[in-house]
Amino acid sequence: MKLATLNDNTRDGRLILVSRDGSRYVEVADIAPTMQDALDRWNEVEGALKARSAELESSSIPSHPVEISKLHSPLPRAYEWIDGSAYINHIVLVRKARGAEPPETLETDPLIYQGGSGTFLAPTQDIPLVDFNWGLDFEAEIAVILGDTPQGVTPDNALDYVRLIVLVNDITLRNLIPPELAKGFGFFNSKPSSAFSPFALTPDELGDAWKNGRVHLPLRTTYNGELFGDPEAGPEMHFGFKELIAHIAKTRPFTAGTILGSGTVSNEDRSRGSSCLAEKRMIEKIDTGEFHTPFMNAGDTVEIEMLDKNGHNLFGTISQKVVKV
């Protein structure tokens, strides 16, 4: 199934089902009024949602055209937004960029931080620029939305709790990170509201691209109208979602609607480009001794999307413009 949330000027929006080609939708308020309600009652409503989705695909019920600009984040707010950093190439490059060494447990223990989840940006909402000197950057990622997840799940059964998959622009203020981390207490001001893809997919929609807790497709980022990167999301994800879920559930359970990110998708093969400006800047520094690419400024645009092997846009496109506030 492909699900989305209409921005109807209420805090949590209105849940809809979207056709596989992303062009049409149907209302499902009689089944579940919001995405969070559906997640809370997933075992109860999944069958009815699947039946309505089949009716949509067969065109046996009336539908409406999808307008991406009228969609909110699939979850306009969430109980928790937790982000990992599962791509080792990214960790190494961005640590070099701020003069830090990778942790000794780089390959054995996942990096995780907990971000703000009370407000998310809509997939076509402007990115506010308060101060250029804060170092505004995009980060293209994949995330899973969990159902109720008990403490102590293992990698063997962790994927049983994945309900939906989305794309993320995990917006970061790079120049605020070093002084924050120097306090020894983690990210906060450096992590403003993130944006998520228009559509959330159940794992079965990805077919054989979803395997071993990883999405085996390229994640495409376009920056100011030009391809910035299309790294493969699957092979170099050192910790898959099953390991990330087991890691976060080591000491506590998680409620339905928790979002867990992969971290910035990154490949060692430089020909695939990057999923954030910080990586490109570090490569420039390694090659030339200087940073050349600036961080984002007013008027810059970024688009993040994932195409299947037939060129179909699976999650819709995160399409944002930076606006000075």
Side-chain angles (χ1 to χ4, degrees):
M1 292 184 289
K2 186 173 288 189
L3 298 88
T5 293
L6 275 177
N7 188 348
D8 62 357
N9 296 315
T10 63
R11 178 164 282 184
D12 295 308
R14 195 161 77 245
L15 179 64
I16 58 174
L17 277 171
V18 178
S19 60
R20 282 197 173 94
D21 65 3
S23 67
R24 299 174 295 119
Y25 77 89
V26 292
E27 300 272 0
V28 293
D30 58 315
I31 303 173
T34 66
M35 184 74 78
Q36 183 61 52
D37 181 67
L39 291 162
D40 285 338
R41 301 186 297 119
W42 191 259
N43 292 337
E44 176 185 340
V45 304
E46 182 184 15
L49 289 172
K50 284 183 175 180
R52 185 72 53 87
S53 180
E55 291 176 323
L56 173 61
E57 288 303 315
S58 67
S59 300
S60 60
I61 55 174
S63 62
H64 310 279
V66 170
E67 296 180 59
I68 299 295
S69 63
K70 294 184 177 180
L71 299 181
H72 212 309
S73 168
L75 281 170
R77 55 179 175 165
Y79 285 107
E80 298 195 63
W81 158 232
I82 304 162
D83 201 14
S85 193
Y87 295 86
I88 287 179
N89 187 62
H90 173 75
I91 298 170
V92 171
L93 287 175
V94 297
R95 291 286 176 113
K96 283 184 179 179
R98 61 175 189 258
E101 291 296 322
E104 293 182 1
T105 56
L106 179 66
E107 297 186 14
T108 59
D109 197 29
L111 292 174
I112 297 283
Y113 82 91
Q114 187 163 5
S117 59
T119 60
F120 293 134
L121 299 178
T124 58
Q125 189 172 348
D126 292 337
I127 302 172
L129 176 71
V130 176
D131 186 339
F132 174 77
N133 293 317
W134 289 354
L136 179 62
D137 198 358
F138 56 85
E139 292 191 72
E141 306 185 11
I142 299 162
V144 295
I145 301 177
L146 302 177
D148 288 314
T149 305
Q151 180 180 342
V153 299
T154 67
D156 290 338
N157 64 357
L159 298 183
D160 294 343
Y161 302 96
V162 173
R163 299 289 177 259
L164 299 165
I165 302 171
V166 291
L167 306 182
V168 191
N169 181 12
D170 178 39
I171 299 164
T172 300
L173 302 171
R174 295 290 183 187
N175 293 337
L176 299 187
I177 291 178
E180 282 201 310
L181 294 186
K183 300 175 186 178
F185 216 58
F187 300 118
F188 194 84
N189 288 148
S190 53
K191 289 292 187 176
S193 297
S194 298
F196 293 81
S197 55
F199 309 140
L201 275 59
T202 51
D204 60 289
E205 288 292 319
L206 294 174
D208 62 7
W210 174 247
K211 54 188 175 184
N212 206 27
R214 297 167 173 83
V215 179
H216 289 261
L217 289 169
L219 183 59
R220 182 181 180 90
T221 301
T222 302
Y223 185 50
N224 290 330
E226 297 184 359
L227 179 65
F228 189 82
D230 63 345
E232 291 284 346
E236 292 184 47
M237 187 179 184
H238 184 74
F239 299 102
F241 280 110
K242 60 182 184 179
E243 289 84 15
L244 294 178
I245 294 167
H247 179 80
I248 66 170
K250 178 179 179 179
T251 59
R252 57 181 163 131
F254 290 89
T255 191
T258 296
I259 309 174
L260 173 61
S262 67
T264 306
V265 176
S266 181
N267 291 172
E268 288 188 21
D269 180 1
R270 291 189 184 181
S271 71
R272 303 309 298 257
S274 298
S275 296
C276 68
L277 292 170
E279 276 195 22
K280 183 174 183 181
R281 286 167 54 86
M282 192 60 237
I283 291 169
E284 291 169 345
K285 179 78 170 178
I286 292 169
D287 289 347
T288 71
E290 302 288 341
F291 297 123
H292 298 289
T293 299
F295 287 118
M296 300 181 85
N297 208 341
D300 287 338
T301 61
V302 61
E303 296 180 346
I304 298 169
E305 59 195 0
M306 179 172 277
L307 309 181
D308 68 12
K309 294 175 182 178
N310 297 313
H312 300 134
N313 190 338
L314 293 169
F315 297 89
T317 302
I318 299 172
S319 182
Q320 298 182 278
K321 182 178 181 178
V322 178
V323 174
K324 185 75 172 69
V325 296

